[in-house]
């Protein structure tokens, strides 16, 4: 599909092609739309049109240099208009969390509800230390990203080189200090290593710009304030998460009006979406109007 400013958009479609309601899914960092393939059957079962868009610079989506989180709103609107779908539910995992919130804030007459799964909190807030309780690899990455694009590209040239060809069975070791044992189980025993590694490889096949721009996006103003969100939001967060620490979820719950709290003890960044998937979908569906 094509955006209003002429960029190619890499879009995954699934679920019921005739559904009037969409489930718009936002991937993490680094990743792409294909990571949501496993949600196709769920969308089909619940009469939803599955829609996932690779953010600019990932996979076959053309780069939008200097983008902010809020830029996702126009891309989602363009895709839904092309599909002829007016209303939608939205979910975002990890780096996709802020993008789901952007849709909730920016499209309040179309977005019925949003779910944030281990989502990143905003940078520069006085009551949120984004690196507190974070794994060492992400602390290093964040500190470099704050310095700007050129230092980040130099860092990524060495530290992100393995992501381009990472094998499924290499992902757990590559994540190192970013995963507790429960996340290792989710990766190796529940198939998430193959899903995520495949998505990472696909996301980087045309270059690293998506990963670079995502990293920069999370170091600046999102383009909106979470406290301006008017639609229902559920925040899901595990207390063992070392990629996006528990404090991020707590901050979002505090600052999003009437946010529903789903703080899950004993869960990490990956186990959360593996073990709680059906609960997440059920919670979103509860916001749909009752069928006549």
């Amino acid at each position: 599909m094509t955006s209003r400013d002429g960029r190619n958009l890499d879009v995954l479609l699934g679920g019921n092609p005739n559904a009037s309601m969409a489930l718009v899914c936002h991937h993490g960092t680094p990743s792409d739309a294909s990571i949501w393939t496993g949600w196709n059957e769920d969308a089909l079962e619940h009469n939803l049109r599955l829609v996932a868009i690779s953010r600019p610079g990932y996979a076959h989506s053309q780069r939008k240099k200097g983008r902010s989180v809020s830029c996702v709103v126009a891309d989602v609107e363009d895709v839904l208009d092309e599909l002829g779908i007016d209303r939608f539910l939205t979910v975002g995992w990890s780096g996709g969390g802020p993008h789901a919130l952007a849709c909730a804030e920016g499209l309040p007459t179309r977005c019925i509800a949003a779910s944030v799964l281990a989502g990143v909190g905003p940078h520069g807030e006085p009551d949120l230390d984004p690196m507190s309780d974070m794994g060492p690899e992400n602390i290093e990455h964040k500190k470099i990203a704050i310095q700007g694009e050129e230092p980040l590209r130099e860092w990524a040239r060495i530290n992100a080189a393995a992501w381009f060809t990472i094998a499924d069975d290499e992902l757990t070791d590559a994540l190192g200090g970013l995963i507790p044992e429960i996340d290792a189980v989710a990766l190796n025993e529940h198939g998430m290593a193959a899903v995520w590694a495949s998505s990472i490889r696909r996301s980087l096949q045309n270059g690293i710009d998506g990963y670079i721009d995502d990293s920069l996006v999370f170091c600046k103003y999102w383009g909106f304030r979470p406290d301006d969100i008017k639609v229902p939001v559920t925040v899901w967060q595990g207390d063992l998460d070392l990629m996006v620490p528990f404090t991020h979820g707590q901050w979002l719950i505090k600052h999003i009006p009437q946010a529903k709290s789903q703080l899950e003890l004993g869960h990490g960044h990956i186990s959360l979406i593996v073990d709680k998937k059906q609960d997440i979908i059920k919670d979103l569906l509860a916001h749909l109007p009752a069928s006549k």
Side-chain angles (χ1 to χ4, degrees):
M1 294 187 181
T2 305
S3 68
R4 66 188 65 180
D5 58 1
R7 288 175 294 108
N8 289 331
L9 296 177
D10 181 65
V11 182
L12 169 73
L13 297 176
N16 183 353
N18 300 313
S20 60
M21 182 72 60
L23 175 61
V24 177
C25 303
H26 303 270
H27 61 80
T29 306
S31 189
D32 75 336
S34 69
I35 202 165
W36 296 102
T37 303
W39 289 54
N40 177 62
E41 290 301 319
D42 300 284
L44 189 61
E45 177 184 351
H46 297 292
N47 195 32
L48 299 170
R49 186 67 155 134
L50 180 69
V51 178
I53 308 168
S54 300
R55 286 193 292 280
Y58 283 120
H60 299 292
S61 285
Q62 287 182 282
R63 187 186 190 194
K64 185 178 178 69
K65 184 175 173 61
R67 62 179 164 93
S68 66
V69 170
S70 61
C71 289
V72 73
V73 173
D75 286 352
V76 167
E77 194 170 31
D78 290 345
V79 170
L80 292 180
D81 286 350
E82 178 72 18
L83 294 172
I85 297 176
D86 183 46
R87 308 296 299 280
F88 68 99
L89 302 165
T90 190
V91 59
W93 178 40
S94 191
H99 295 85
L101 292 177
C103 291
E105 192 277 332
L107 298 171
T109 64
R110 300 182 72 168
C111 181
I112 293 174
S115 283
V116 178
L117 318 180
V120 178
H123 179 76
E125 297 294 332
D127 57 342
L128 175 62
D129 178 356
M131 290 181 278
S132 176
D133 300 320
M134 185 179 281
E137 292 88 346
N138 273 13
I139 290 176
E140 179 184 358
H141 177 203
K142 180 77 172 181
K143 286 181 176 179
I144 295 295
I146 291 170
Q147 297 177 30
E149 182 171 348
E150 291 311 312
L152 179 61
R153 283 192 181 276
E154 180 59 27
W155 176 89
R157 185 179 63 82
I158 299 170
N159 292 277
W163 293 116
F164 287 84
T165 57
I166 192 162
D168 301 352
D169 61 3
E170 294 173 342
L171 184 58
T172 301
D173 287 342
L175 292 172
L178 292 174
I179 54 170
E181 180 59 30
I182 194 168
D183 277 347
V185 170
L187 285 167
N188 299 319
E189 297 182 18
H190 296 284
M192 274 302 293
V195 173
W196 195 4
S198 173
S199 179
I200 290 171
R201 294 191 299 268
R202 184 177 186 275
S203 76
L204 301 176
Q205 63 183 305
N206 289 313
I208 202 170
D209 285 342
Y211 181 52
I212 294 295
D213 292 342
D214 258 6
S215 303
L216 296 173
V217 152
F218 301 134
C219 295
K220 66 181 184 180
Y221 175 54
W222 286 355
F224 68 97
R225 298 284 305 174
D227 53 13
D228 290 332
I229 296 172
K230 300 296 192 292
V231 305
V233 174
T234 301
V235 177
W236 298 78
Q237 182 75 39
D239 68 321
L240 301 182
D241 196 328
L242 297 173
M243 296 189 193
V244 179
F246 201 51
T247 50
H248 288 240
Q250 292 173 313
W251 189 96
L252 292 172
I253 290 165
K254 178 182 177 182
H255 289 274
I256 297 172
Q258 301 180 343
K260 179 180 177 182
S261 171
Q262 289 291 156
L263 300 179
E264 301 291 333
L265 301 182
H267 275 289
H269 197 75
I270 303 158
S271 70
L272 180 75
I273 64 166
V274 171
D275 293 346
K276 296 295 179 178
K277 178 183 176 185
Q278 295 306 318
D279 293 334
I280 291 163
I281 293 171
K282 181 179 179 181
D283 177 72
L284 276 170
L285 292 172
H287 295 285
L288 294 179
S291 57
K292 297 180 180 180

